[in-house]
Every structure is written in C-alpha cells, then in structure tokens.
Amino acid sequence: MSRRASRADQRRGSVLNADNALQAMGHKQELKRNFSMISMLGLAFAILNSWTALSASLSLALPSGGSTSVIWGLVTAGICNLCLAVSLAEMLSAYPTAGGQYHFVAMIAWKRSVPILSWITGWINVAGWIALVASGGLLGSQLIVGLIALFHTDYVAQPWHQFLIYICYNVIAFSINAFGTRLLPLITEGAFFWSITGFVVISITLLACSHGHYNTGTFVYGNFINETGWPDGIAWLLGLLQGGLGLTGFDAVAHMVEEIPDPTKEGPKIMIYCVLVGLFTGFIFLTVLLLVAGDIDDAISSSAGPVLQIFYDATGSLAGSTCLLLFPLVCLLFATITIMTTSSRMTYAFARDGGLPWSRFFAKVHPKLDLPLNALYLTTGLTIIFGCIFLGSSSAFNAIISASVVALGVSYAIPPAVHCLRGRNRLPEDRWFKLPPVLGWAANLIGISYAILTTVLFVFPPELPVTGSNMNYCIVAFFIVLVIATLTWFFEGKGKYAGPKIDAAALQSGEVMGMAPDAAYYDDSKHVVDGEQGMKKD
C-alpha cells in the first residue's frame, strides 16, 4: 500500500471516529469535514489577524499609555489569553462540538446549574461573535477613510461614509459564506499565507525606507503617553483593549471543530498555535511600527490614522503607503469572512441545542449549500443593525471593539471558573490534551483574573470628561444582551432548555467521551431523564 493511500485511510478513519464521537453526544454530522489543519489554522489566524488588528487599532492604545501600552499591553494580553486558550483546549479535547464554551460548562457544572449556566454562556458567546464580525468591517472602513484623508487633506469624514464601507465589507463576507462554502478552506489557507507575506513585506519595507532614522529603544519600549484624562494607571490598563482585540477569537476552532478530522487532537493544537503565532507576529510588527514612527504625536493626531501616517512618514510616498495598506485591507476582508463563518456556526450550534428563539429554523442546514444559511442570515442582519450605533456616536468604534472583547472574554472565563470551583476534576482523564495540575490551576486562575479585570475596564469611557458622544456604549450593548437572554430564558428556556442534547443510548453504553454511563442524558424534548451532567454525582 502506498504512503498516499495509507494517509488517505488514516484521514478517513479520523473522520469516522470524529463523526461517531459527535453522534454519541447527540448530534448528527451535518457539516462536511472540509478543513485540514493548515486551513483551520489559517481560519483561526485570519480571525485573530493579530498584526493587522493591532496596527489598525493603534488609536486605542497610543493615547492610553503610548508605546508601553502598545508593546507591553500586548505581552500582558498575550500571556493571559494563552492561559485562557490552554484552559479551553483541555475541554475541547474532551468535548469537540461546535457549541464550545456553553457545551463545556454543561459538561462540568452542578446538576441544577447546567441549564442556566449553559444558557447564559451561549448567549454571551453568540453576542461576542456578532460584535467581532462588526469589528472587521469597522477596522477596514477606518483604514479606507484614512486613505482618502491622506490623499485629500480637506476631506472631512462623515459617520455615514464609514458605515457604507462597513456594509460593503459585510455584504462581501456574506456572499462568500453563502455561495462559496466549498472554497472556504482554500480561502483560509490563502488568508494565512497572505497575512504572513504582508507581515514580512511591510516590516522589511518600513525598516529599509527608514534606515538611519529610527526611534530609540527607550522610546519603542518605554515611552508613556496619557491623553485620556484618566489617571496614568487606569489609562495604561485601558490600552489593554488593543492587545485584547488582537488576540481574541481563538475559540473559533471550537465552533468549527465539527469540520476538521481528528478534532480531539487538532482542535486544541490549533487553538494554542494561533495565539502563539499572533503574539509573535504582533510583537515584532508593533516594534517595527514604533521604531519607524517618527513623531508619535503626529501619528496620534493624523486624520489618516496612526498606521497609515506611519507608513507615509516611513516611505515618503503616497503610492508606496497605499500599496502597503493593501495588505491589511485584504487581511481585514479575510477576517470579516472567517469571523462571519465562525459566528454562523456558533449560532447554528446553540440553536441546534434549543438555545435560541425559533431554534429549529436557525438550526437548519441548507441541503445544497452545505451550511446553516438561516444562522448566517441572522448573524449578518444583527451585524448590520449592531453597526448602526456608529451613526450616532463618535466612540462607537471603541464600543463595538469593547463589546466583542468583553463578551468573548466572559465566555472564555466561565468554563474554567466552574472547573476550578469543582476542583478541576470534572474532565475525563483519557483526554488527549491535559495540563499538569499545578500548571492547570495557574492557567485557569490567571485567565479568570484577566477576564474579570478587562470586563470592568473595557466598559469605561475612553476619555474624560464623559459626554453623550464619547460615552462607551459597550455597557449598553452588553446590558441589552443580558436583558434579552434573561427574557428569553423565562419565555423560552426555563423548563425546556436542559443544556446540550446527549444521546441516551450512547451514554448508557458508556460511549460518550469523558462521561460515565450513569451520567445525565436527555430525551428528544431536551428534558433531563435521569442522573447528572458530568463525570461524578454530587
């Protein structure tokens, strides 16, 4: 037998094992496993798109701590997000379903708390991904408006200008997701290589063009600026939002895990790799930008935006700056496409378990397009509505970015928090990825602490004094999500939603990964039949 045939057999075996595992957890395999490890890593990295997101969002951190916030804020956010990533990777290795965090919580929580904790986690996660879809279009529209301002100094940007560009980004992303599903693995692989190529080309070009005119190392790693009106310490912490944005979204692989072979192994690896690659490329790229930035005050105040102004100052050419800007602009389009893909899969998974109003409708997979089209409609429609906030507030950019980072951060922290409260002994011992006890406790606690801190900080207004236009409406958006989740719980969920569906026959025969045969299971009406959700009885 040839090596190629052997690899093909191994791949088919991995797919069959993954499908059987999913069926044992109560779900039919409806989505095709089209993604390889490279294409899925490309999707995850395209979503983080760290160097692009970090450069495009320089306006968040430069006034809130300057270079120290940009560089060391990224390192701080990177370490903390890595702790959250390894915490979730353990759970993904045990329970590889598209539900992700709300499914993990249901597996390890106390019996009576399973429905409400799973419900809240699912709603917060869905909202976070929709907000993250919005962030891709906003960053791209901001760069395009800045490019116009660079060519036409008398141009005055209006909110509706940026909003129309934002709509274009999302319409393109929807069209590719709806009608190019089979091409998505190729698109994500292309996104990965395009991003890495752009990172290398821009870095080398900026360093070569600025030769002999670099800022000092003290400036790059130690310059502090505070233009927010907040005390220095608070201002620096607010600058963490940039690093948080550049490294959030690593749970994408969890929501896409039903579309890769051998998910119990490949899923955790991809989740961790994408954070490490994002931290590495982000640190180098931000160092390069600050090294060639020239007068940082000019970059902060530029109508073209900090990153484009730095490109222009370094190259001295409008044409050169435009060519370099093409890389992040296309990267952000890739990001919007892949974030929308993941968001629709998360929405589909939650609806499949009965977590949304009209769940049967949103859980349908289109027979010809091979995707949850109704969930994609919902994601796109809410993304456009969510983006309308930009028309009424000059701080909408901060609000939407904050909303995505806060919501996803909370959804990352809930599963390890429950795991710690239960003594970190609720996961199956035979899972492929397992942290040593001391490292596991440390990673869980650091990640939880970071999520609590950023949840509080990122609802602060970006500057003082606070006005109606610069108010951070993240708190309003987050409050609305909680209100909707609460109301739907009482009208739709309470007494009906019991968490992710589990196949009773598979459970009784002990086939569900990480669950004892006497654990809880659910009938078709999603009511608990007997036992407890988890490995042990309370």
Side-chain angles (χ1 to χ4, degrees):
M1 183 181 292
S2 66
R3 287 186 178 181
R4 181 175 298 178
S6 177
R7 285 196 297 268
D9 289 341
Q10 290 176 357
R11 179 179 173 84
R12 282 194 292 271
S14 296
V15 171
L16 288 174
N17 289 336
D19 290 353
N20 292 336
L22 184 63
Q23 289 172 5
M25 284 184 279
H27 297 302
K28 178 184 177 182
Q29 178 64 36
E30 295 182 285
L31 302 176
K32 294 184 178 180
R33 297 187 184 274
N34 292 325
F35 287 82
S36 65
M37 180 179 177
I38 293 297
S39 59
M40 185 56 69
L41 177 61
L43 179 139
F45 186 68
I47 287 173
L48 266 68
N49 226 328
S50 298
W51 70 268
T52 303
L54 290 167
S55 60
S57 59
L58 273 174
S59 59
L60 296 175
L62 281 178
S64 298
S67 299
T68 60
S69 183
V70 170
I71 295 293
W72 303 117
L74 171 64
V75 173
T76 302
I79 294 172
C80 295
N81 275 289
L82 186 61
C83 289
L84 288 169
V86 297
S87 299
L88 294 181
E90 276 195 302
M91 301 180 187
L92 181 61
S93 185
Y95 309 115
T97 72
Q101 292 91 301
Y102 81 84
H103 195 115
F104 303 157
V105 167
M107 295 295 105
I108 62 177
W110 306 267
K111 175 183 175 181
R112 293 183 178 179
S113 303
V114 166
I116 187 64
L117 286 177
S118 177
W119 182 275
I120 291 173
T121 305
W123 271 89
I124 291 174
N125 203 6
V126 168
W129 274 101
I130 292 172
L132 198 63
V133 176
S135 71
L138 280 175
L139 288 170
S141 62
Q142 189 179 56
L143 290 180
I144 292 174
V145 167
L147 184 63
I148 297 171
L150 188 65
F151 276 88
H152 304 281
T153 55
D154 58 343
Y155 169 70
V156 179
Q158 300 295 325
W160 64 271
H161 297 169
Q162 195 167 341
F163 181 72
L164 290 178
I165 301 172
Y166 167 86
I167 295 296
C168 289
Y169 259 82
N170 285 287
V171 168
I172 293 172
F174 168 81
S175 300
I176 292 176
N177 270 282
F179 307 113
T181 305
R182 294 174 178 82
L183 297 176
L184 279 175
L186 294 176
I187 291 173
T188 58
E189 286 184 21
F192 181 75
F193 291 113
W194 176 270
S195 182
I196 296 299
T197 300
F199 161 73
V200 172
V201 169
I202 295 176
S203 298
I204 292 175
T205 302
L206 293 180
L207 290 173
C209 291
S210 299
H211 181 68
H213 298 87
Y214 301 140
N215 287 321
T216 64
T218 302
F219 170 83
V220 172
Y221 298 111
N223 180 61
F224 182 83
I225 299 172
N226 181 7
E227 297 182 357
T228 65
W230 291 101
D232 289 349
I234 298 295
W236 191 90
L237 290 171
L238 290 176
L240 283 174
L241 179 57
Q242 183 201 20
L245 172 66
L247 294 171
T248 199
F250 52 80
D251 61 315
V253 64
H255 307 308
M256 298 291 295
V257 76
E258 294 177 20
E259 298 177 56
I260 59 173
D262 205 4
T264 58
K265 294 182 180 180
E266 301 302 334
K269 288 193 292 186
I270 295 169
M271 184 175 284
I272 296 168
Y273 290 166
C274 67
V275 176
L276 289 174
V277 174
L279 178 59
F280 175 76
T281 56
F283 183 87
I284 292 178
F285 193 72
L286 290 177
T287 296
V288 170
L289 287 181
L290 293 172
L291 198 62
V292 304
D295 189 339
I296 200 66
D297 291 328
D298 289 344
I300 293 174
S301 60
S302 172
S303 59
V307 65
L308 190 52
Q309 188 63 48
I310 291 172
F311 284 179
Y312 180 68
D313 290 341
T315 62
S317 167
L318 290 174
S321 303
T322 303
C323 290
L324 293 182
L325 193 67
L326 287 176
F327 283 104
L329 279 176
V330 175
C331 281
L332 288 170
L333 181 58
F334 280 135
T336 307
I337 294 168
T338 51
I339 296 171
M340 188 174 287
T341 303
T342 307
S343 179
S344 65
R345 300 311 192 266
M346 171 62 210
T347 303
Y348 153 78
F350 198 40
R352 185 177 60 181
D353 283 320
L356 295 176
W358 309 292
S359 285
R360 288 189 178 183
F361 177 76
F362 293 119
K364 287 182 178 179
V365 174
H366 195 282
K368 294 183 179 179
L369 297 177
D370 291 326
L371 81 155
L373 186 62
N374 295 336
L376 182 62
Y377 283 138
L378 179 64
T379 297
T380 307
L382 290 177
T383 299
I384 292 174
I385 294 172
F386 201 58
C388 290
I389 191 176
F390 186 81
L391 296 174
S393 170
S394 61
S395 293
F397 176 69
N398 295 70
I400 293 174
I401 299 300
S402 299
S404 63
V405 176
V406 167
L408 291 177
V410 171
S411 76
Y412 298 158
I414 293 176
V418 173
H419 199 200
C420 286
L421 290 173
R422 304 217 67 185
R424 276 189 52 82
N425 62 357
R426 312 303 296 183
L427 296 178
E429 289 296 324
D430 60 346
R431 63 189 184 275
W432 182 83
F433 180 73
K434 180 167 60 175
L435 293 171
V438 174
L439 184 58
W441 276 103
N444 287 174
L445 294 175
I446 290 172
I448 294 166
S449 301
Y450 170 76
I452 293 172
L453 176 66
T454 53
T455 298
V456 174
L457 284 172
F458 295 165
V459 299
F460 281 25
E463 61 185 40
L464 295 177
V466 180
T467 65
S469 61
N470 70 15
M471 169 68 182
N472 187 347
Y473 288 96
C474 168
I475 186 67
V476 178
F478 200 67
F479 178 74
I480 291 173
V481 170
L482 292 179
V483 168
I484 295 174
T486 302
L487 290 175
T488 53
W489 168 255
F490 284 107
F491 288 103
E492 295 280 340
K494 191 175 182 180
K496 300 178 183 178
Y497 179 80
K501 290 185 288 186
I502 301 298
D503 182 83
L507 262 172
Q508 288 178 321
S509 63
E511 295 176 8
V512 176
M513 293 184 297
M515 301 189 68
D518 63 344
Y521 62 92
Y522 302 91
D523 62 16
D524 290 337
S525 63
K526 293 171 285 186
H527 289 286
V528 177
V529 177
D530 190 18
E532 180 202 353
Q533 187 81 4
M535 292 181 62
K536 300 178 182 178
K537 291 186 177 181
D538 287 328

